[in-house]
Amino acid sequence: MALFSQISQQGFQALLWKCHIFWPFSRCQQLFAVSLGIPNREKINSFSFMTSSSTALSVDPKETDVLPTEKKSKIDCKEGEGWDEETKEIPEGKFHYSSSVGAAKKWSMSHVLSRHKFSKVQPPEKPLQAEEWNKLREDFQSPEIFEEVMLNSMIRCNSPIDVAKSLLTHLAKRNGDIAYSVLVKYLTLCVQQGQVSEIRDVHDIMKARFKILESGAYSLLIRGLSNSNQWRMALTVLEEVKKIMIPSRMCYESCIKAASHHQEMKLAFELYNEMLAKGLVPTLDVLQSFFDFSRGMKGAELQKELFGILLYLRENQIYPHKTFMRSIKLWFESLPGGNWRGHLTNVKDSGQCPVCKHQLEESNLTEQEYSHLSERIIRDVIHGTDTFRKTSPKELEAFQTFVENRLPFDIVIDGLNVSHIKSRRMQCENLLDAVNCLAKENARLLVLGRKHMLMNSSNWKREIMKEMQNKADFFFAENISEDDAFLLYATLRSGKHCRFVTRDFLRDHKACLSDSLTRHLFRKWQRGHQIVFFPSADGRSIKFLPALSYDCVVQTTGDTWHIPYKDVFEEKYSYEVPRKWLCIQQKL
């Protein structure tokens, strides 16, 4: 490496003379000595690094972190594309460092806002000399953010690494230090380009200067090393991280993919199980990688682990996307001597698979399970401490009396939720469409509304409300109340046959349940009782999909697997269950 190779020996020695922290001789000093021609026998004091990070801690506890003054450049500025990309979660395949790593965390709001002016910065195509960087900085509109703007531009444009080095050399020569945030951005560019030796050098520099790095820097180091032939060094860094914090999901998954890529599946699964034990939720991407890299491999233990991933999908109601599903299918079909064959199908409403004629599990709970779930919902959700933050004991009691006097209902409707289904129509018209559709076949309906619906307004016409009240029972809660608990209570008290209509995911209420068994029963009950609805293609009506009679989760009989999947990846949890299935049979 030659991170600071452009600094003259005299200038670098003078710069080091200013510093007061002595490093033990290490590879880090050696790389400076080699790049600058300094004899190895000479003592080399530390290069001074500064940080505004609350996590990256200096080796010398007496040192005071100083906020670096980051500089500017001559740049083409355009309106439009902002810097928002910098703080977003970057999808798989792109690189991300936390905006909390570095000086921006402590800058004033005016500085943070000012950088949004610079939407597009064109970095130099070749390394510059100090006077050229100074000229760019002087001509730049906001000199105090020059380095941040320029380095982010280099990352975006994937500039040659030598161009970034020349900027860092200039900074070191001018300031006598390189800020932590600048090092992290340089590291980002190195990782992006797979510059393994540079990644190692930056790691050595950071380790020597800081006791602890921020999680974003560790993630970058591990990711960069894991994508190289020196991937085992990523495991070493992961062990460093474990001593001071719980490693991030990205740290674990980078190491898992590296191990899998090199066919070390036992190690990959050890890391995966360790990750789960720490409460980290794996991405579908890493779960898919297990099937991709295990294709054609023998071993009962490996097969058991992969079956475990499928059961993980089942327990957590996770639906793989089409690409993941294909990886599962190919893995099954690649098993030596397994005789597995997969087919894509749509399961009928009856719950029978058209391919193997197997009957899928019912969505209904047993009497014992239903009784257990009802008791826990009423105890933990209805009467839980959270409920009365959103309603009053008096209102809840009035609602319970209302329901008990009118039981049972066939369908319970979240009126306000349904009323927003089509934005261009009055809310009362949307709700009327839903009531008219669901009231067919003489179903007994309960609509949960709010008191503002009774006020004659542009969205709630009195005559339409009266028409609906002739077709369904209505309970009007206070406008500030949350009616999800009411919806659960009325549905469960009505019996196993009762369904409910809402687009709410009900995740908060599932989280209130005290144990994993009850949460599992809640998810199963929800899958079989929540009616899906959406506007028709022409926008004139509402379409309802009845709750399924069979359970839409991964399931197996030993010689068959049925895996529901969705066409595309959905980042957000959805109450909508897929209608497409992968049927896998073992021909004995």
Side-chain angles (χ1 to χ4, degrees):
M1 125 157 193
L3 181 56
F4 306 109
S5 60
Q6 297 174 43
I7 305 178
S8 68
Q9 179 173 332
Q10 181 181 2
F12 187 79
Q13 289 173 322
L15 188 155
L16 292 176
W17 185 257
K18 299 178 184 177
C19 305
H20 305 291
I21 303 172
F22 175 69
W23 276 346
F25 196 88
S26 68
R27 179 171 177 273
C28 196
Q29 286 85 50
Q30 194 172 18
L31 69 91
F32 282 129
V34 170
S35 65
L36 297 170
I38 300 173
N40 286 354
R41 64 180 179 271
E42 291 184 20
K43 288 184 179 180
I44 301 180
N45 289 343
S46 78
F47 207 62
S48 171
F49 293 97
M50 298 186 296
T51 178
S52 63
S53 164
S54 60
T55 307
L57 301 178
S58 169
V59 169
D60 185 352
K62 296 178 182 178
E63 272 204 354
T64 304
D65 287 342
V66 181
L67 187 67
T69 304
E70 301 201 50
K71 321 293 178 182
K72 331 175 186 168
S73 100
K74 183 177 182 181
I75 296 165
D76 296 326
C77 301
K78 297 181 182 179
E79 297 298 326
E81 303 172 23
W83 287 83
D84 296 336
E85 63 194 46
E86 194 183 319
T87 56
K88 289 180 181 176
E89 182 98 16
I90 303 298
E92 190 69 26
K94 297 185 181 178
F95 295 88
H96 170 67
Y97 52 89
S98 168
S99 59
S100 67
V101 179
K105 189 175 180 182
K106 292 187 179 180
W107 278 8
S108 67
M109 184 57 69
S110 62
H111 281 137
V112 174
L113 292 176
S114 68
R115 69 181 183 171
H116 287 268
K117 298 175 185 176
F118 308 105
S119 60
K120 204 161 189 179
V121 177
Q122 188 61 43
E125 294 181 359
K126 60 182 181 178
L128 301 183
Q129 299 298 319
E131 56 272 17
E132 294 174 299
W133 282 119
N134 281 330
K135 182 66 168 64
L136 287 179
R137 180 180 181 276
E138 290 166 4
D139 293 342
F140 188 54
Q141 185 176 345
S142 300
E144 70 279 0
I145 61 170
F146 172 72
E147 283 81 11
E148 181 184 10
V149 170
M150 180 55 71
L151 282 165
N152 277 301
S153 174
M154 290 181 185
I155 293 167
R156 188 180 66 247
C157 298
N158 200 27
S159 297
I161 206 73
D162 287 344
V163 176
K165 282 185 189 179
S166 74
L167 176 58
L168 266 64
T169 301
H170 167 64
L171 277 174
K173 194 171 182 179
R174 189 191 71 207
N175 295 346
D177 64 64
I178 294 181
Y180 178 89
S181 59
V182 172
L183 277 175
V184 171
K185 291 179 183 184
Y186 177 73
L187 176 61
T188 302
L189 186 63
C190 294
V191 171
Q192 189 167 286
Q193 297 183 9
Q195 301 277 355
V196 181
S197 62
E198 297 294 323
I199 295 168
R200 291 186 61 184
D201 290 338
V202 174
H203 180 216
D204 286 342
I205 292 169
M206 286 180 153
K207 270 205 315 183
R209 178 59 182 86
F210 302 106
K211 289 179 181 177
I212 300 173
L213 308 184
E214 289 186 305
S215 61
Y218 283 126
S219 293
L220 278 170
L221 287 166
I222 289 174
R223 186 163 188 178
L225 293 168
S226 65
N227 287 331
S228 74
N229 58 2
Q230 299 182 43
W231 64 276
R232 288 190 182 277
M233 287 193 63
L235 301 176
T236 304
V237 178
L238 182 66
E239 291 303 315
E240 290 177 24
V241 179
K242 288 181 193 177
K243 294 175 183 176
I244 52 178
M245 66 178 76
I246 295 177
S248 69
R249 176 172 71 181
M250 182 181 288
C251 287
Y252 271 110
E253 293 198 344
S254 295
C255 292
I256 288 169
K257 287 181 182 178
S260 298
H261 180 72
H262 291 86
Q263 301 290 290
E264 297 209 17
M265 301 311 298
K266 183 178 178 181
L267 172 59
F269 273 107
E270 285 174 359
L271 293 168
Y272 168 71
N273 289 318
E274 185 180 297
M275 174 183 170
L276 292 181
K278 294 183 184 297
L280 299 173
V281 178
T283 61
L284 293 188
D285 184 64
V286 80
L287 296 180
Q288 180 183 337
S289 72
F290 279 113
F291 290 91
D292 288 336
F293 290 118
S294 299
R295 201 173 297 164
M297 295 178 67
K298 296 180 180 180
E301 191 60 34
L302 175 61
Q303 185 171 307
K304 181 181 175 182
E305 291 281 11
L306 288 159
F307 285 167
I309 291 179
L310 296 177
L311 295 177
Y312 176 85
L313 299 181
R314 171 188 171 89
E315 291 302 313
N316 293 278
Q317 193 183 331
I318 297 171
Y319 303 122
H321 49 77
K322 186 180 288 185
T323 307
F324 187 3
M325 176 274 297
R326 285 174 179 161
S327 294
I328 295 171
K329 179 178 181 290
L330 290 172
W331 173 74
F332 268 102
E333 293 175 342
S334 75
L335 287 174
N339 295 321
W340 291 94
R341 291 294 176 269
H343 300 275
L344 307 186
T345 187
N346 292 305
V347 175
K348 300 175 181 178
D349 289 342
S350 65
Q352 185 183 63
C353 174
V355 177
C356 66
K357 309 305 179 186
H358 177 74
Q359 191 68 35
L360 298 181
E361 299 172 20
E362 290 187 359
S363 60
N364 283 331
L365 305 181
T366 65
E367 291 294 340
Q368 185 177 359
E369 289 172 335
Y370 189 82
S371 175
H372 172 86
L373 179 64
S374 297
E375 290 173 7
R376 293 301 176 90
I377 289 281
I378 290 171
R379 186 191 75 182
D380 296 342
V381 178
I382 310 300
H383 292 150
T385 55
D386 191 56
T387 298
F388 295 123
R389 297 176 192 167
K390 301 171 183 176
T391 187
S392 67
K394 182 178 179 181
E395 184 178 50
L396 180 59
E397 184 180 351
F399 174 71
Q400 289 176 310
T401 301
F402 175 90
V403 168
E404 296 299 328
N405 290 336
R406 292 165 175 79
L407 288 175
F409 299 102
D410 297 312
I411 301 173
V412 180
I413 303 169
D414 183 344
L416 194 59
N417 189 287
V418 172
S419 72
H420 288 284
I421 186 65
K422 291 180 288 183
S423 59
R424 296 184 180 181
R425 298 188 67 198
M426 287 190 295
Q427 291 176 29
C428 61
E429 289 179 332
N430 287 336
L431 187 54
L432 177 62
D433 284 350
V435 168
N436 285 338
C437 182
L438 295 170
K440 294 174 182 176
E441 301 178 3
N442 297 317
R444 290 205 61 218
L445 308 182
L446 169 61
V447 180
L448 302 175
R450 303 293 175 82
K451 289 188 174 178
H452 72 262
M453 295 178 178
L454 296 172
M455 306 292 293
N456 199 30
S457 65
S458 59
N459 263 316
W460 299 100
K461 299 299 182 183
R462 185 169 289 126
E463 60 274 15
I464 294 179
M465 292 302 298
K466 286 182 178 178
E467 181 182 348
M468 284 191 285
Q469 286 174 284
N470 290 329
K471 300 176 180 180
D473 286 301
F474 274 73
F475 181 85
F476 297 97
E478 295 293 336
N479 294 328
I480 61 170
S481 297
E482 286 283 353
D483 52 16
D484 291 346
F486 293 171
L487 180 140
L488 293 174
Y489 180 87
T491 306
L492 287 165
R493 287 291 297 132
S494 292
K496 291 171 65 176
H497 75 286
C498 187
R499 305 291 189 261
F500 63 92
V501 181
T502 182
R503 288 183 293 173
D504 196 294
F505 302 149
L506 304 179
R507 283 174 295 185
D508 292 343
H509 304 297
K510 182 191 74 177
C512 290
L513 298 171
S514 56
D515 61 273
S516 59
L517 171 62
T518 308
R519 289 192 290 271
H520 169 75
L521 293 176
F522 180 82
R523 284 194 295 265
K524 183 174 182 179
W525 174 79
Q526 182 182 3
R527 290 192 297 268
H529 290 76
Q530 188 164 3
I531 296 175
V532 175
F533 65 97
F534 51 89
S536 62
D538 58 12
R540 295 178 181 177
S541 60
I542 301 176
K543 296 289 185 182
F544 291 89
L545 294 178
L548 299 175
S549 61
Y550 57 89
D551 200 7
C552 195
V553 288
V554 172
Q555 41 196 280
T556 182
T557 61
D559 60 353
T560 67
W561 283 85
H562 288 87
I563 302 169
Y565 69 93
K566 295 195 171 184
D567 284 330
V568 294
F569 169 68
E570 290 183 355
E571 187 172 358
K572 293 184 178 180
Y573 173 83
S574 172
Y575 65 86
E576 295 183 40
V577 295
R579 306 289 166 140
K580 297 181 178 181
W581 290 74
L582 168 64
C583 169
I584 303 174
Q585 292 177 274
Q586 187 175 31
K587 302 294 185 180
L588 300 175

